[in-house]
Amino acid sequence: GGAWAGARGRSAGLPERLRLPVCFLGVFACYFYYGILQESITRGRYGEGAKQEKFKYALTLVFIQCVINAAFAKLLIHFVDAARPDRTRGWLYGACSLSYLGAMVSSNSALQFVSYPTQRNRATPATMSSTHRYLAGGYLFLSRVTPSSITGKRDIKNALRLLSLTLDGLTGVSQDHMRAHYQTGSNHMMLNVNLWSTLFLGAGILFTGELWEFLSFTERYPSIISNILLFGLTSALGQSFIFMTVVYFGPLTCSIITTTRKFFTILASVVLFANPISPMQWVGTVLVFLGLGLDAKFGKGVKKTSH
């Protein structure tokens, strides 16, 4: 609470009455388009007839995303946050980046096996409390494990969803630790976590040779480059609005905004990409909204009495 309050005091450029609409519209617009681009890139068909290829370069896609995120955060620090010192230990950023990029890679990899609604339904907001995150995500994961889904690709997609959920939770916990103990600024956190992620991923795509395969793929299908650059840009803008929301309004409001956005992105995916969504997935989505509503109504009162 103290770290957020201090950050609120330092965030004075935007009129108070405009903050919530700007944060909501920023997160919604950026990540709505981000989700559509993500599915277009990872589930698109490239080439014609028997020569059709799939996009299978999840590591490189996340690498590009992290490079753009880091560059964007560096610009924000230079123009907005230059006077603020950063005392957070480097190894904390490194540990956070491992869970952060692991969640993104497994999320993008899952899209090679499942549609966007299925993959995104596993993703509960990273700013929710750890308990709520694991309960909601765990239910959504288990609701799709049926006797017919224990073999082959279904087994892989379920494992990827569970891994991504777990790593999302670890990322949120480590970010909370940095805010509480070091009052880490959002722009410094965004920059350093993405720099560490770029380092890890750069080593990974060079070691596996994926970088050269990806470059060869873009030579064959250059039209994908604009989608990838837009994907990275919407990710960077979206992250900045996410952190702005947490600074101004706290994690619960951010959770409500991001979950609302995910719901509408799922609807868009169902309409635009003709992806099916099961009754149990709709039940899971409703339960997440119900949980957020109950937390919004009763959660603050509980927290106040604990101080």
Side-chain angles (χ1 to χ4, degrees):
W4 290 325
R8 286 191 188 98
R10 287 188 294 271
S11 304
L14 198 62
E16 190 170 347
R17 63 188 176 83
L18 294 179
R19 287 176 184 174
L20 186 58
V22 166
C23 288
F24 177 83
L25 290 174
V27 171
F28 189 94
C30 290
Y31 279 111
F32 185 87
Y33 192 34
Y34 169 93
I36 302 303
L37 287 168
Q38 184 184 37
E39 184 155 12
S40 297
I41 293 167
T42 56
R43 290 179 60 80
R45 289 290 186 271
Y46 303 91
E48 296 180 0
K51 294 184 177 179
Q52 273 196 351
E53 297 181 60
K54 286 185 177 181
F55 183 90
K56 46 187 182 180
Y57 310 103
L59 282 178
T60 309
L61 184 62
V62 178
F63 172 79
I64 295 169
Q65 182 179 347
C66 290
V67 169
I68 296 174
N69 287 348
F72 191 80
K74 184 69 176 176
L75 286 174
L76 287 176
I77 290 172
H78 179 75
F79 290 107
V80 177
D81 225 4
R84 182 173 186 172
D86 181 28
R87 301 184 180 88
T88 310
R89 296 183 181 181
W91 68 268
L92 280 173
Y93 286 129
C96 183
S97 74
L98 283 173
S99 58
Y100 162 75
L101 68 88
M104 285 198 295
V105 169
S106 54
S107 171
N108 284 322
S109 297
L111 274 173
Q112 295 172 22
F113 302 100
V114 297
S115 64
Y116 187 89
T118 302
Q119 184 267 330
R120 287 315 299 174
N121 258 347
R122 66 90 202 149
T124 50
T127 46
M128 291 174 72
S129 70
S130 298
T131 303
H132 293 157
R133 196 160 44 226
Y134 286 119
L135 284 176
Y139 169 79
L140 290 168
F141 168 73
L142 290 172
S143 71
R144 290 189 298 278
V145 179
T146 62
S148 62
S149 67
I150 308 300
T151 58
K153 290 184 178 180
R154 290 179 181 269
D155 214 14
I156 296 172
K157 73 183 181 185
N158 286 332
L160 286 169
R161 284 200 299 263
L162 182 59
L163 175 63
S164 189
L165 167 68
T166 303
L167 292 173
D168 272 343
L170 292 174
T171 301
V173 169
S174 60
Q175 288 174 336
D176 287 342
H177 178 80
M178 283 188 273
R179 290 192 192 102
H181 291 82
Y182 299 96
Q183 289 74 52
T184 308
S186 61
N187 293 328
H188 285 100
M189 186 183 297
M190 182 176 171
L191 171 64
N192 286 283
V193 169
N194 280 287
L195 282 177
W196 275 95
S197 299
T198 300
L199 179 65
F200 292 136
L201 286 167
I205 60 178
L206 286 173
F207 179 77
T208 61
E210 182 179 306
L211 176 61
W212 316 119
E213 294 177 15
F214 168 79
L215 291 175
S216 176
F217 185 87
T218 57
E219 282 183 10
R220 294 193 298 275
Y221 310 106
S223 60
I224 197 177
I225 295 173
S226 59
N227 271 355
I228 290 175
L229 292 176
L230 280 172
F231 175 77
L233 182 60
T234 53
S235 168
L237 286 169
Q239 272 197 12
S240 66
F241 281 113
I242 287 283
F243 284 123
M244 188 189 301
T245 305
V246 172
V247 164
Y248 284 145
F249 304 105
L252 179 59
T253 300
C254 187
S255 296
I256 294 170
I257 290 174
T258 54
T259 305
T260 303
R261 189 275 310 169
K262 286 171 187 173
F263 180 75
F264 283 101
T265 308
I266 288 169
L267 289 180
S269 180
V270 170
V271 173
L272 296 178
F273 296 96
N275 286 318
I277 183 167
S278 71
M280 282 302 282
Q281 287 171 326
W282 283 118
V283 170
T285 302
V286 170
L287 283 177
V288 170
F289 275 101
L290 180 61
L292 282 169
L294 291 173
D295 200 2
K297 183 169 180 62
F298 302 109
K300 289 185 179 180
V302 173
K303 288 173 187 172
K304 283 178 182 176
T305 58
S306 64
H307 281 67

